[in-house]
Amino acid sequence: MAVSYGFNRKRPRTEVTLDSTALGSANVRSEKPLILIGSATGGEPNKVEVVTNLSQARNIFRGGELVDAIEMAWNPSVNLGGAGKIYAVRSDEATQAKLVKDGYTFTSKLYGADANGIQISLEDNTITKSKRFNVYFTRERYEQTYDNIGNIFAVQYTGSLAYASIEVKVDTQTKEAKTLELKAGADKETAAVVRTYELGEGFYQDVNVLVNDINNLPDFKAVMNSLGGYKNVSTNYLDALAATPLAKDKDVTVTAVSADLALTLANDRYVSLDIDLTKPAPATIPVTSLAGAETKAPPASWAKLFASVADSGGYYVVPLTANEVIHAELGHFLRSESSAGNQLRGFVGGGIEESFDALRARQAAIRNPRVALVGDSVTRRMADGRVYKAPAYMYAAQVAGLASGLQIGVPMTYKKMNIDALNLKFSDDQLDQLDSTGVIMTFYRRNRDESTFRIASDPTTYNNVEDIVQNRMSLGETSDFLTTDLRTVLDEEFIGTRIKNTSASIIKNRVESFLDVQKGVDGLIVDYNPEDIQVVIDGNTAIINIVVQPSRGLDYINVFLSYKDNKMSA
């Protein structure tokens, strides 16, 4: 959001304009893209949109929880980057507004009840003998006028003969233009055909090609209309033109009102046009509202929404709802995708100020190693100045944004969050219990120099003390990327190759090379012993056993500090 400082003065002054939209932009270093699914006031329902900055997100989705969640995900922490590119899906059941006038069907590009506020009008421009089209959407302070609609090109005759003419013939059934005929002669009765152009198909489908060819004829000149924007319509949409005399001092204009209007509105922000040539085109349209659009609640089941993002390229999935049934659907979806080799993870959250018992019940109902439950609802200031009281499922988007911005395997533990307050404060004992049972909680940390809100830890909802990999989000994602990368290497380099006497040794050496890379500064393992890598080929199957030490997050530091007396003597 751009805010000006120092402009409200008449005397000489300096004005500084601060644009805060850069706070909402993708972290290009993120390797774990985020998927957000939720309600919005714009955008096509159930369509995956890839957004990389907040301005783009607002242009597509206009507003609503989905836009707020995108902003929170891109600005989650006071000192760390947020999510990378975000795959966003509008979950509402929304329809478009329409207006049918004879052969014209106007359709809103906006989905939802707000689209009923879009108005259009069509009127004559008597000066240029063309059409003028207006689009109004007062809710967005949008007013757009498109002038000089319909006039495509003009033709002149420059020869010495006394008579010349142009005619555009139209099919009586389809109403599509079929031929453009040029004649010249001593008079109308004796004029001979100079050239007949087949329209709509083949070489002369493009109106620019048609105009260029007319210019190549002796004694004829054609000029594209330079007013009103791009005019390169398909020639089968040219309007019928009875045989009309041509002269050196007078142009004859060839029109295509319907096609030119449809082409112009293709770039309009709010309205598109479909034309039916078999029906007459309206001469004018008074200011009229589009109608029939609706905004309905999201569907009871989000299974199709989850399926639509399965192959999008995202890693974390966040449904912006507190509905426990949808959370269960997410858990089932993530398990199914993981079994198929597509490693995805999810963050979910409840409503406003949910109690200790309610959070425990949510965790127990989910209990999934691929789903993390965010327990806190929070208050934070948004870029437009609002103080937003966010339910836990919205804060889940912010936490997921933090996780997306971190390197693979780096835990969220103790990371500073960009919030102003926790809506419900839990005791230290409750925080310990919630953390140990699988709920991601935030606490207030007071220091001498700085006091901030921090994430306690990154547990999943699995809550099995015997399986630390499935209990911790960071260690689980380390396993996801480590196994996926190793599988990719082996698939690409060995599957489908011939087995040789040295194949086992070659595979072992390649695995060691892969693990050496993973021991690097940003690697996913701490160390491994080459002797712990065993490769056995039995028939057409290679059996590989590997033992590594995965990179884990540091959770505890124990310090033993002792004092002793200071003896002084003089």
Side-chain angles (χ1 to χ4, degrees):
M1 179 180 181
V3 180
S4 294
Y5 297 86
F7 64 94
N8 193 24
R9 296 203 303 267
K10 301 298 183 184
R11 59 187 183 277
R13 44 75 175 160
T14 297
E15 178 182 351
V16 179
T17 301
L18 172 66
D19 188 355
S20 61
T21 55
L23 293 175
S25 57
N27 176 3
V28 296
R29 294 172 296 179
S30 173
E31 298 180 76
K32 300 173 288 183
L34 186 59
I35 298 169
L36 296 177
I37 305 173
S39 296
T41 58
E44 183 177 344
N46 306 328
K47 180 182 178 183
V48 180
E49 300 280 3
V50 182
V51 291
T52 56
N53 62 75
L54 193 53
S55 294
Q56 179 192 14
R58 287 173 175 162
N59 285 337
I60 296 174
F61 298 109
R62 297 180 64 232
E65 288 188 335
L66 186 55
V67 176
D68 285 341
I70 290 171
E71 178 184 335
M72 294 169 73
W74 274 331
N75 189 20
S77 173
V78 297
N79 64 334
L80 295 172
K85 63 181 176 182
I86 292 177
Y87 300 90
V89 183
R90 184 183 182 186
S91 61
D92 309 286
E93 295 289 345
T95 58
Q96 296 164 285
K98 292 182 180 294
L99 174 65
V100 179
K101 289 289 185 181
D102 300 325
Y104 287 0
T105 300
F106 298 96
T107 305
S108 69
K109 295 180 181 178
L110 178 63
Y111 289 74
D114 286 352
N116 296 323
I118 298 173
Q119 297 176 306
I120 59 97
S121 68
L122 178 66
E123 56 195 42
D124 292 321
N125 183 334
T126 56
I127 297 175
T128 60
K129 296 182 180 179
S130 61
K131 298 293 182 179
R132 180 183 296 117
F133 190 82
N134 302 293
V135 182
Y136 309 101
F137 189 32
T138 55
R139 183 186 295 269
E140 298 286 339
R141 298 180 181 177
Y142 182 83
E143 181 176 336
Q144 185 69 49
T145 298
Y146 301 101
D147 213 343
N148 300 296
I149 299 293
N151 294 343
I152 306 302
F153 64 94
V155 181
Q156 285 184 345
Y157 177 67
T158 60
S160 59
L161 296 176
Y163 178 84
S165 68
I166 181 173
E167 182 178 8
V168 178
K169 298 179 180 180
V170 173
D171 186 279
T172 56
Q173 293 183 339
T174 65
K175 304 301 181 182
E176 291 188 357
K178 289 299 181 182
T179 60
L180 183 148
E181 190 173 79
L182 297 173
K183 290 183 177 181
D187 52 40
K188 181 178 180 181
E189 286 71 23
T190 62
V193 175
V194 176
R195 184 67 183 271
T196 299
Y197 293 98
E198 299 292 332
L199 305 179
E201 294 182 0
F203 190 71
Y204 297 109
Q205 182 176 4
D206 189 306
V207 74
N208 278 325
V209 175
L210 175 64
V211 170
N212 289 336
D213 199 275
I214 294 174
N215 281 321
N216 289 330
L217 296 175
D219 303 331
F220 287 91
K221 179 183 177 182
V223 179
M224 288 291 294
N225 179 19
S226 60
L227 300 176
Y230 187 66
K231 300 288 183 179
N232 194 22
V233 301
S234 178
T235 55
N236 62 305
Y237 289 110
L238 295 179
D239 296 330
L241 179 65
T244 304
L246 293 171
K248 296 180 181 179
D249 58 348
K250 183 179 180 181
D251 294 339
V252 172
T253 300
V254 178
T255 64
V257 175
S258 298
D260 193 14
L261 181 56
L263 187 64
T264 299
L265 291 181
N267 296 317
D268 185 75
R269 185 175 176 181
Y270 290 107
V271 178
S272 65
L273 170 62
D274 291 319
I275 55 178
D276 183 352
L277 293 178
T278 63
K279 298 179 181 179
T284 60
I285 302 174
V287 176
T288 309
S289 297
L290 277 64
E294 294 181 308
T295 301
K296 299 180 181 179
S301 170
W302 286 23
K304 291 184 179 179
L305 289 171
F306 293 140
S308 70
V309 300
D311 300 323
S312 64
Y315 182 65
Y316 294 121
V317 184
V318 185
L320 302 179
T321 175
N323 190 316
E324 291 177 310
V325 174
I326 294 174
H327 294 175
E329 287 183 337
L330 174 63
H332 176 73
F333 164 74
L334 295 176
R335 287 182 187 273
S336 298
E337 289 299 309
S338 176
S339 299
N342 186 18
Q343 311 296 343
L344 302 174
R345 293 182 174 271
F347 285 86
V348 299
I352 297 286
E353 298 183 11
E354 291 200 353
S355 67
F356 173 82
D357 291 335
L359 293 177
R360 289 289 298 271
R362 279 189 180 275
Q363 176 273 324
I366 298 171
R367 202 174 183 277
N368 188 310
R370 294 196 164 269
V371 180
L373 172 64
V374 175
D376 295 293
S377 63
V378 301
T379 299
R380 62 166 281 164
R381 187 173 296 275
M382 306 298 285
D384 59 6
R386 285 177 298 138
V387 177
Y388 180 43
K389 191 172 183 179
Y393 64 81
M394 291 293 290
Y395 187 45
Q398 181 169 336
V399 174
L402 172 69
S404 176
L406 296 173
Q407 290 182 340
I408 297 170
V410 174
M412 295 179 291
T413 305
Y414 263 48
K415 302 301 185 289
K416 302 173 184 178
M417 298 303 291
N418 181 21
I419 59 175
D420 295 333
L422 298 171
N423 295 336
L424 179 63
K425 185 178 180 181
F426 293 95
S427 67
D428 287 344
D429 183 59
Q430 288 174 324
L431 288 173
D432 287 342
Q433 290 186 57
L434 290 171
D435 178 76
S436 64
T437 54
V439 183
I440 294 178
M441 301 300 295
T442 305
F443 67 98
Y444 186 66
R445 183 58 141 183
R446 189 183 302 276
N447 297 324
R448 292 183 63 182
D449 298 330
E450 176 187 46
S451 297
T452 55
F453 292 93
R454 296 174 181 258
I455 297 289
S457 182
D458 66 338
T460 70
T461 54
Y462 191 55
N463 190 27
N464 182 351
V465 294
E466 297 180 355
D467 195 337
I468 190 171
V469 172
Q470 298 194 79
N471 267 6
R472 296 295 295 270
M473 186 68 73
S474 54
L475 195 52
E477 73 182 35
T478 295
S479 302
D480 287 346
F481 283 88
L482 183 64
T483 56
T484 299
D485 291 348
L486 179 58
R487 184 185 69 231
T488 301
V489 167
L490 298 176
D491 277 350
E492 295 295 328
E493 299 184 20
F494 296 102
I495 293 295
T497 63
R498 290 188 304 165
I499 298 174
K500 305 176 183 178
N501 291 335
T502 57
S503 291
S505 298
I506 293 173
I507 293 175
K508 179 177 180 180
N509 290 337
R510 185 62 183 93
V511 171
E512 289 184 21
S513 176
F514 171 82
L515 295 178
D516 286 336
V517 173
Q518 297 302 323
K519 283 177 58 178
V521 176
D522 297 327
L524 302 179
I525 65 172
V526 177
D527 202 0
Y528 76 97
N529 187 341
E531 296 180 359
D532 291 332
I533 300 174
Q534 298 177 349
V535 179
V536 177
I537 296 180
D538 184 5
N540 62 353
T541 302
I543 302 170
I544 306 173
N545 292 312
I546 307 172
V547 178
V548 300
Q549 301 173 25
S551 178
R552 297 175 56 183
L554 184 63
D555 286 341
Y556 304 102
I557 298 177
N558 297 323
V559 178
F560 299 94
L561 178 65
S562 300
Y563 289 120
K564 67 177 181 178
D565 289 332
N566 181 28
K567 295 183 179 180
M568 293 183 292
S569 61

